[in-house]
Amino acid sequence: MAGRLIAGGRLVTAEGVVDDGWLLVEDGYISALGSGERPRADETVDAGGAWVVPGFVDIHCHGGGGEPFMSTDPARARVAVDTHAKHGTTTLLASLVSRPVEELVNQIAALRELVEDGLLAGVHLEGPFLSAARCGAHDPNILRAPAADAVERLLDAGKGAVRMVTIAPELENSVNAVRQLIDGGSLAAIGHTDATEAQVMPAVDAGATVATHLFNGMRPLHHREPGPIGALLDDERVTVELICDLVHLSPTIVRLAAKHAGLGRTVLVTDAIAAAGVGDGSYDIGGLEVVVKDGVPTLAGGTSLAGSTLTMDVAFRNLVQGCGLSVPEAVAATSTRPAALLGLADATGKLAKGLNADLVLLDAGLHVNSVMRRGSWVG
């Protein structure tokens, strides 16, 4: 048997951890895996006892490597994709911040090239259908209700590339927009909202299935008014995004949310901006100046968080070392569940025969040793 054999690793599979395991890669796919006697291969890579986990799946990322996804230059977007790939992200949604619909149409069209090439799994629109009361790092002057014609223009621009759209459910026509998005092949997410629980539930009943970075950009949880946090976290139909940089959320909150939602409903995201992989400095997000200091982005002149500089390998490590969850639980939150959410469970997100050879080798401290995407080493 030919191919590339990765041997001597701790494989994290759906069935559990396989110590001293091996994995055979042929033609970009996992053709076999197991432990014990190893098959012959053209090349053998000694994993040296490293963790072997599925490639990370990030469904909320605005850029990296100094480049934002909101550029209309596909070459700049490729820099961001490559930056996150070196940190283990093998499947990625490009997130766009709130801009006028015409600008978003042009940005989506530019990113569609990367979707068609397989470098991106799709586009996520975080705005402009958000609440001005919880706008965060979005220009409040651009925010608007999700009118049917605007939603249609954005979906048409993607030609199937728009995979998720975040909406504040208290806005006019939001419930109809949720249905329109689902009919157009997109996930409907709830976020940047000041809604009450009573305003959230009709959108969930209409088919909204994702909570955009739960806790952040939302009316706070209150014991007499659960608001979006309580409603979304407690609803079995909703998958919750958590920004696990330990800045947006404390370890206790991450742990509480992940334990309540469980493996089937928890997804770690980066919400990374162009500064990811670069460092401190001044950046632009949707026309707003953002200052990154000590790795934390905030709106210039204020304290409002403006995305992150997080990469998925750090999020993975934070969940285990900072929040006390297990490596298999971290795999579920960074790979298996987000892949399933995007409808890609038969392609990626697990170490299993027949799936893409998307994988990350992590040392004992959970730092990246190497990354493979569709059978080729990254970097």
Side-chain angles (χ1 to χ4, degrees):
M1 186 176 285
R4 176 182 285 128
L5 183 70
I6 300 169
R10 302 187 70 190
L11 277 60
V12 183
T13 72
E15 290 73 34
V17 177
V18 179
D19 289 315
D20 194 23
W22 54 262
L23 183 148
L24 186 65
V25 176
E26 296 182 286
D27 299 322
Y29 296 93
I30 299 171
S31 60
L33 71 165
S35 60
E37 185 177 354
R38 303 170 181 176
R40 294 179 180 273
D42 295 331
E43 174 189 356
T44 299
V45 176
D46 183 3
W51 291 100
V52 183
V53 303
F56 304 134
V57 180
D58 189 0
I59 66 171
H60 189 155
C61 177
H62 294 279
E67 299 292 353
F69 284 126
M70 65 184 181
S71 165
T72 54
D73 181 356
R76 296 179 67 185
R78 289 174 187 270
V79 172
V81 172
D82 291 345
T83 297
H84 286 282
K86 293 173 183 177
H87 290 272
T89 298
T90 55
T91 303
L92 183 67
L93 285 190
S95 299
L96 299 176
V97 298
S98 299
R99 297 301 298 158
V101 170
E102 189 61 40
E103 285 188 33
L104 288 172
V105 164
N106 294 333
Q107 292 170 7
I108 293 166
L111 291 171
R112 196 173 65 229
E113 175 184 315
L114 276 69
V115 177
E116 292 169 351
D117 288 347
L119 291 178
L120 288 174
V123 177
H124 162 223
L125 302 180
E126 190 182 14
F129 311 127
L130 311 177
S131 167
R134 302 288 174 183
C135 60
H138 294 258
D139 185 345
N141 297 311
I142 292 172
L143 304 183
R144 54 176 293 175
D149 59 340
V151 173
E152 183 177 10
R153 286 195 66 197
L154 294 170
L155 290 174
D156 287 348
K159 294 181 168 46
V162 176
R163 300 296 305 276
M164 184 164 67
V165 179
T166 300
I167 288 180
E170 68 270 32
L171 299 179
E172 183 179 358
N173 199 53
S174 61
V175 173
N176 289 332
V178 166
R179 298 190 183 102
Q180 186 179 1
L181 290 169
I182 295 168
D183 290 344
S186 171
L187 294 168
I190 293 175
H192 285 279
T193 171
D194 199 41
T196 63
E197 180 182 33
Q199 291 172 312
V200 169
M201 295 316 300
V204 175
D205 292 339
T209 54
V210 182
T212 295
H213 48 51
L214 190 74
F215 294 98
N216 301 115
M218 292 183 175
R219 174 195 288 260
L221 180 69
H222 189 276
H223 57 283
R224 286 193 295 273
E225 173 46 71
I229 295 171
L232 298 170
L233 181 58
D234 202 43
D235 197 301
E236 295 287 339
R237 298 168 291 181
V238 178
T239 294
V240 298
E241 293 182 357
L242 300 174
I243 306 174
C244 196
D245 58 355
L246 308 186
V247 175
H248 281 78
L249 303 171
S250 79
T252 299
I253 289 295
V254 172
R255 188 166 51 250
L256 282 170
K259 290 294 186 181
H260 184 83
L263 299 183
R265 296 177 48 226
T266 301
V267 168
L268 299 192
V269 297
T270 63
D271 195 19
I273 64 171
V278 178
D280 291 357
S282 181
Y283 298 85
D284 176 89
I285 299 181
L288 302 179
E289 183 184 359
V290 171
V291 176
V292 180
K293 182 178 180 181
D294 298 329
V296 179
T298 56
L299 288 178
T303 58
S304 179
L305 293 173
S308 83
T309 59
L310 187 64
T311 50
M312 286 294 282
D313 57 326
V314 177
F316 185 104
R317 191 162 61 248
N318 285 344
L319 190 67
V320 176
Q321 298 177 352
C323 303
L325 276 71
S326 68
V327 168
E329 286 173 321
V331 166
T334 57
S335 301
T336 310
R337 180 53 195 156
L341 186 66
L342 295 178
L344 300 176
D346 293 333
T348 192
K350 299 187 293 290
L351 300 184
K353 182 178 179 179
L355 270 63
N356 293 339
D358 296 334
L359 49 95
V360 186
L361 274 64
L362 301 170
D363 66 17
L366 303 181
H367 294 85
V368 173
N369 278 344
S370 51
V371 180
M372 177 178 284
R373 185 177 187 273
R374 297 187 182 178
S376 297
W377 295 112
V378 172

